[in-house]
Short mmCIF file of all heavy atoms in Angstrom, two decimals:
data_model
loop_
_atom_site.label_atom_id
_atom_site.label_comp_id
_atom_site.label_asym_id
_atom_site.label_seq_id
_atom_site.Cartn_x
_atom_site.Cartn_y
_atom_site.Cartn_z
N TYR A 21 198.15 7.40 -16.41
CA TYR A 21 198.90 8.25 -15.48
C TYR A 21 199.76 9.28 -16.21
O TYR A 21 200.42 8.97 -17.20
CB TYR A 21 199.80 7.41 -14.57
CG TYR A 21 199.05 6.72 -13.45
CD1 TYR A 21 198.58 5.42 -13.61
CD2 TYR A 21 198.80 7.39 -12.25
CE1 TYR A 21 197.88 4.78 -12.60
CE2 TYR A 21 198.09 6.76 -11.23
CZ TYR A 21 197.64 5.46 -11.40
OH TYR A 21 196.94 4.85 -10.40
N LYS A 24 202.70 10.62 -11.52
CA LYS A 24 201.97 9.92 -10.45
C LYS A 24 200.49 10.30 -10.42
O LYS A 24 199.72 9.78 -9.60
CB LYS A 24 202.60 10.25 -9.09
CG LYS A 24 202.54 11.71 -8.68
CD LYS A 24 203.24 11.92 -7.34
CE LYS A 24 203.28 13.39 -6.95
NZ LYS A 24 203.92 13.60 -5.64
N TYR A 25 200.06 11.19 -11.29
CA TYR A 25 198.68 11.68 -11.27
C TYR A 25 197.83 11.00 -12.35
O TYR A 25 198.31 10.67 -13.43
CB TYR A 25 198.66 13.19 -11.49
CG TYR A 25 199.45 13.96 -10.47
CD1 TYR A 25 200.62 14.65 -10.83
CD2 TYR A 25 199.04 14.01 -9.14
CE1 TYR A 25 201.34 15.36 -9.89
CE2 TYR A 25 199.77 14.72 -8.19
CZ TYR A 25 200.93 15.38 -8.57
OH TYR A 25 201.65 16.08 -7.64
N GLY A 26 196.54 10.83 -12.04
CA GLY A 26 195.61 10.24 -12.99
C GLY A 26 195.09 8.91 -12.50
O GLY A 26 194.70 8.76 -11.34
N GLY A 27 195.09 7.89 -13.37
CA GLY A 27 194.62 6.57 -12.99
C GLY A 27 193.11 6.45 -13.01
O GLY A 27 192.39 7.32 -13.53
N ALA A 28 192.63 5.36 -12.43
CA ALA A 28 191.18 5.09 -12.37
C ALA A 28 190.86 4.41 -11.05
O ALA A 28 190.97 3.20 -10.92
CB ALA A 28 190.75 4.22 -13.55
N TYR A 29 190.46 5.21 -10.05
CA TYR A 29 190.15 4.72 -8.70
C TYR A 29 188.64 4.54 -8.58
O TYR A 29 187.94 5.40 -8.03
CB TYR A 29 190.70 5.69 -7.66
CG TYR A 29 192.21 5.83 -7.73
CD1 TYR A 29 192.81 6.67 -8.67
CD2 TYR A 29 193.04 5.10 -6.88
CE1 TYR A 29 194.19 6.79 -8.75
CE2 TYR A 29 194.42 5.22 -6.95
CZ TYR A 29 194.99 6.05 -7.89
OH TYR A 29 196.36 6.16 -7.97
N LEU A 206 189.11 15.69 -16.26
CA LEU A 206 189.00 15.13 -14.92
C LEU A 206 188.52 13.69 -15.00
O LEU A 206 188.21 13.18 -16.06
CB LEU A 206 187.95 15.91 -14.11
CG LEU A 206 188.14 17.39 -13.88
CD1 LEU A 206 186.86 17.97 -13.31
CD2 LEU A 206 189.31 17.63 -12.94
N GLY A 207 188.40 13.09 -13.81
CA GLY A 207 187.78 11.78 -13.70
C GLY A 207 188.76 10.65 -13.98
O GLY A 207 189.95 10.87 -14.20
N SER A 283 193.28 25.03 -6.31
CA SER A 283 193.79 23.75 -5.82
C SER A 283 195.27 23.54 -6.13
O SER A 283 196.02 23.03 -5.29
CB SER A 283 192.96 22.60 -6.40
OG SER A 283 192.96 22.65 -7.81
N LEU A 284 195.72 23.91 -7.31
CA LEU A 284 197.12 23.70 -7.67
C LEU A 284 198.05 24.61 -6.88
O LEU A 284 199.19 24.26 -6.60
CB LEU A 284 197.32 23.92 -9.17
CG LEU A 284 196.59 22.91 -10.07
CD1 LEU A 284 196.52 23.41 -11.50
CD2 LEU A 284 197.28 21.55 -10.02
N TYR A 286 197.32 25.92 -3.70
CA TYR A 286 197.26 25.71 -2.25
C TYR A 286 196.98 24.27 -1.83
O TYR A 286 196.94 23.98 -0.64
CB TYR A 286 196.17 26.62 -1.65
CG TYR A 286 196.47 28.09 -1.78
CD1 TYR A 286 195.79 28.88 -2.71
CD2 TYR A 286 197.45 28.69 -1.00
CE1 TYR A 286 196.07 30.24 -2.84
CE2 TYR A 286 197.74 30.05 -1.12
CZ TYR A 286 197.05 30.81 -2.05
OH TYR A 286 197.33 32.14 -2.18
N GLY A 287 196.79 23.36 -2.79
CA GLY A 287 196.39 22.00 -2.45
C GLY A 287 197.54 21.03 -2.29
O GLY A 287 198.72 21.40 -2.35
N SER A 288 197.19 19.77 -2.11
CA SER A 288 198.17 18.69 -1.99
C SER A 288 197.59 17.44 -2.66
O SER A 288 196.40 17.38 -2.98
CB SER A 288 198.50 18.41 -0.53
OG SER A 288 197.33 18.07 0.21
N GLU A 289 198.42 16.44 -2.85
CA GLU A 289 198.00 15.24 -3.58
C GLU A 289 196.82 14.55 -2.90
O GLU A 289 196.79 14.39 -1.68
CB GLU A 289 199.18 14.28 -3.68
CG GLU A 289 198.92 13.06 -4.54
CD GLU A 289 200.12 12.16 -4.66
OE1 GLU A 289 201.20 12.52 -4.17
OE2 GLU A 289 199.96 11.06 -5.24
N GLY A 290 195.86 14.14 -3.72
CA GLY A 290 194.69 13.46 -3.17
C GLY A 290 193.82 12.87 -4.25
O GLY A 290 193.90 13.25 -5.42
N ILE A 291 192.98 11.90 -3.86
CA ILE A 291 192.11 11.19 -4.80
C ILE A 291 190.67 11.62 -4.59
O ILE A 291 190.17 11.63 -3.46
CB ILE A 291 192.24 9.67 -4.60
CG1 ILE A 291 193.66 9.20 -4.95
CG2 ILE A 291 191.21 8.92 -5.46
CD1 ILE A 291 193.95 7.78 -4.51
N MET A 292 190.00 11.97 -5.67
CA MET A 292 188.55 12.21 -5.65
C MET A 292 188.00 11.94 -7.05
O MET A 292 188.72 12.02 -8.04
CB MET A 292 188.21 13.62 -5.18
CG MET A 292 188.66 14.75 -6.09
SD MET A 292 188.18 16.40 -5.51
CE MET A 292 186.41 16.36 -5.79
N HIS A 293 186.74 11.61 -7.12
CA HIS A 293 186.04 11.38 -8.39
C HIS A 293 186.82 10.47 -9.33
O HIS A 293 186.83 10.66 -10.56
CB HIS A 293 185.71 12.71 -9.06
CG HIS A 293 184.69 13.49 -8.31
ND1 HIS A 293 184.64 14.87 -8.31
CD2 HIS A 293 183.67 13.10 -7.48
CE1 HIS A 293 183.63 15.28 -7.54
NE2 HIS A 293 183.04 14.22 -7.02
N GLY A 294 187.53 9.49 -8.74
CA GLY A 294 188.15 8.44 -9.54
C GLY A 294 189.52 8.73 -10.09
O GLY A 294 190.03 7.96 -10.91
N PHE A 295 190.16 9.82 -9.66
CA PHE A 295 191.50 10.13 -10.18
C PHE A 295 192.36 10.77 -9.08
O PHE A 295 191.86 11.38 -8.15
CB PHE A 295 191.42 11.08 -11.39
CG PHE A 295 190.93 12.48 -11.07
CD1 PHE A 295 191.81 13.54 -10.98
CD2 PHE A 295 189.57 12.73 -10.87
CE1 PHE A 295 191.36 14.82 -10.69
CE2 PHE A 295 189.11 14.01 -10.59
CZ PHE A 295 190.01 15.06 -10.49
N ASN A 296 193.67 10.62 -9.24
CA ASN A 296 194.64 11.20 -8.31
C ASN A 296 195.18 12.50 -8.89
O ASN A 296 195.62 12.54 -10.05
CB ASN A 296 195.80 10.22 -8.07
CG ASN A 296 196.80 10.75 -7.05
OD1 ASN A 296 196.39 11.25 -6.00
ND2 ASN A 296 198.07 10.63 -7.34
N SER A 297 195.13 13.57 -8.10
CA SER A 297 195.62 14.86 -8.58
C SER A 297 196.03 15.71 -7.38
O SER A 297 196.33 15.18 -6.31
CB SER A 297 194.54 15.56 -9.43
OG SER A 297 195.06 16.73 -10.03
N ILE A 298 196.02 17.01 -7.55
CA ILE A 298 196.26 17.95 -6.45
C ILE A 298 194.92 18.55 -6.08
O ILE A 298 194.21 19.05 -6.95
CB ILE A 298 197.27 19.04 -6.85
CG1 ILE A 298 198.63 18.41 -7.17
CG2 ILE A 298 197.41 20.07 -5.74
CD1 ILE A 298 199.67 19.39 -7.70
N MET A 299 194.57 18.47 -4.79
CA MET A 299 193.25 18.94 -4.38
C MET A 299 193.30 19.70 -3.07
O MET A 299 194.27 19.59 -2.30
CB MET A 299 192.28 17.76 -4.26
CG MET A 299 192.63 16.76 -3.19
SD MET A 299 191.47 15.35 -3.16
CE MET A 299 190.62 15.65 -1.63
N LEU A 300 192.28 20.47 -2.83
CA LEU A 300 192.13 21.19 -1.57
C LEU A 300 191.44 20.28 -0.56
O LEU A 300 190.40 19.69 -0.88
CB LEU A 300 191.32 22.47 -1.78
CG LEU A 300 192.01 23.53 -2.65
CD1 LEU A 300 191.00 24.57 -3.12
CD2 LEU A 300 193.15 24.20 -1.89
N LYS A 301 192.02 20.15 0.63
CA LYS A 301 191.48 19.22 1.63
C LYS A 301 191.11 19.95 2.91
O LYS A 301 191.73 20.95 3.29
CB LYS A 301 192.54 18.16 1.97
CG LYS A 301 193.02 17.35 0.79
CD LYS A 301 194.16 16.43 1.23
CE LYS A 301 194.77 15.69 0.06
NZ LYS A 301 195.95 14.91 0.45
N ASP A 302 190.08 19.39 3.60
CA ASP A 302 189.74 19.90 4.92
C ASP A 302 190.60 19.20 5.97
O ASP A 302 191.51 18.44 5.65
CB ASP A 302 188.24 19.72 5.19
CG ASP A 302 187.80 18.25 5.22
OD1 ASP A 302 188.67 17.35 5.37
OD2 ASP A 302 186.59 18.00 5.12
N ASN A 304 190.09 16.74 7.76
CA ASN A 304 189.99 15.28 7.74
C ASN A 304 190.57 14.65 6.47
O ASN A 304 190.44 13.45 6.26
CB ASN A 304 188.52 14.86 7.88
CG ASN A 304 187.90 15.36 9.18
OD1 ASN A 304 188.50 15.23 10.24
ND2 ASN A 304 186.71 15.94 9.08
N GLY A 305 191.15 15.49 5.63
CA GLY A 305 191.72 15.00 4.38
C GLY A 305 190.71 14.80 3.28
O GLY A 305 191.02 14.25 2.21
N GLU A 306 189.47 15.24 3.51
CA GLU A 306 188.41 15.15 2.51
C GLU A 306 188.43 16.40 1.62
O GLU A 306 188.99 17.42 2.01
CB GLU A 306 187.05 15.02 3.19
CG GLU A 306 186.87 13.74 3.99
CD GLU A 306 186.96 12.50 3.12
OE1 GLU A 306 186.33 12.49 2.04
OE2 GLU A 306 187.68 11.56 3.51
N PRO A 307 187.80 16.33 0.43
CA PRO A 307 187.73 17.54 -0.42
C PRO A 307 187.14 18.71 0.35
O PRO A 307 186.09 18.60 0.97
CB PRO A 307 186.82 17.11 -1.57
CG PRO A 307 186.99 15.62 -1.64
CD PRO A 307 187.16 15.17 -0.22
N ALA A 308 187.85 19.82 0.34
CA ALA A 308 187.44 21.00 1.11
C ALA A 308 186.33 21.76 0.40
O ALA A 308 186.19 21.68 -0.82
CB ALA A 308 188.64 21.93 1.31
N TYR A 319 185.77 24.09 -8.09
CA TYR A 319 185.98 22.65 -7.95
C TYR A 319 187.24 22.44 -7.11
O TYR A 319 188.23 23.16 -7.31
CB TYR A 319 186.14 22.03 -9.35
CG TYR A 319 186.20 20.53 -9.38
CD1 TYR A 319 185.08 19.76 -9.11
CD2 TYR A 319 187.40 19.87 -9.70
CE1 TYR A 319 185.13 18.36 -9.16
CE2 TYR A 319 187.46 18.49 -9.75
CZ TYR A 319 186.33 17.74 -9.48
OH TYR A 319 186.39 16.37 -9.53
N PRO A 320 187.24 21.50 -6.16
CA PRO A 320 188.36 21.40 -5.21
C PRO A 320 189.59 20.66 -5.72
O PRO A 320 190.52 20.39 -4.95
CB PRO A 320 187.75 20.65 -4.02
CG PRO A 320 186.63 19.87 -4.58
CD PRO A 320 186.10 20.64 -5.75
N SER A 321 189.62 20.33 -7.01
CA SER A 321 190.80 19.69 -7.57
C SER A 321 191.01 20.23 -8.98
O SER A 321 190.32 21.16 -9.41
CB SER A 321 190.64 18.17 -7.59
OG SER A 321 191.83 17.53 -8.01
N SER A 322 191.96 19.66 -9.69
CA SER A 322 192.21 20.05 -11.07
C SER A 322 192.61 18.80 -11.83
O SER A 322 192.95 17.77 -11.23
CB SER A 322 193.32 21.09 -11.13
OG SER A 322 193.40 21.65 -12.43
N GLY A 323 192.57 18.86 -13.14
CA GLY A 323 192.90 17.69 -13.95
C GLY A 323 194.29 17.16 -13.65
O GLY A 323 195.21 17.93 -13.36
N PRO A 324 194.47 15.84 -13.71
CA PRO A 324 195.77 15.25 -13.37
C PRO A 324 196.91 15.72 -14.27
O PRO A 324 198.06 15.82 -13.83
CB PRO A 324 195.54 13.74 -13.53
CG PRO A 324 194.33 13.61 -14.39
CD PRO A 324 193.49 14.80 -14.08
N ALA A 327 198.20 18.87 -12.82
CA ALA A 327 199.04 18.59 -11.66
C ALA A 327 200.45 18.19 -12.11
O ALA A 327 201.46 18.61 -11.52
CB ALA A 327 198.41 17.49 -10.81
N ASP A 331 203.94 20.24 -11.45
CA ASP A 331 205.10 19.70 -10.74
C ASP A 331 206.38 19.76 -11.58
O ASP A 331 207.46 20.01 -11.04
CB ASP A 331 204.84 18.25 -10.32
CG ASP A 331 203.94 18.15 -9.09
OD1 ASP A 331 203.40 19.20 -8.66
OD2 ASP A 331 203.77 17.02 -8.57
#
Side-chain angles (χ1 to χ4, degrees):
Y21 283 93
K24 63 182 176 179
Y25 301 113
Y29 299 81
L206 301 168
S283 56
L284 295 164
Y286 296 105
S288 58
E289 186 178 353
I291 295 168
M292 66 178 289
H293 292 150
F295 67 103
N296 183 45
S297 187
I298 297 175
M299 64 183 250
L300 293 164
K301 301 175 185 174
D302 63 18
N304 300 314
E306 295 297 315
Y319 187 71
S321 186
S322 191
D331 283 8

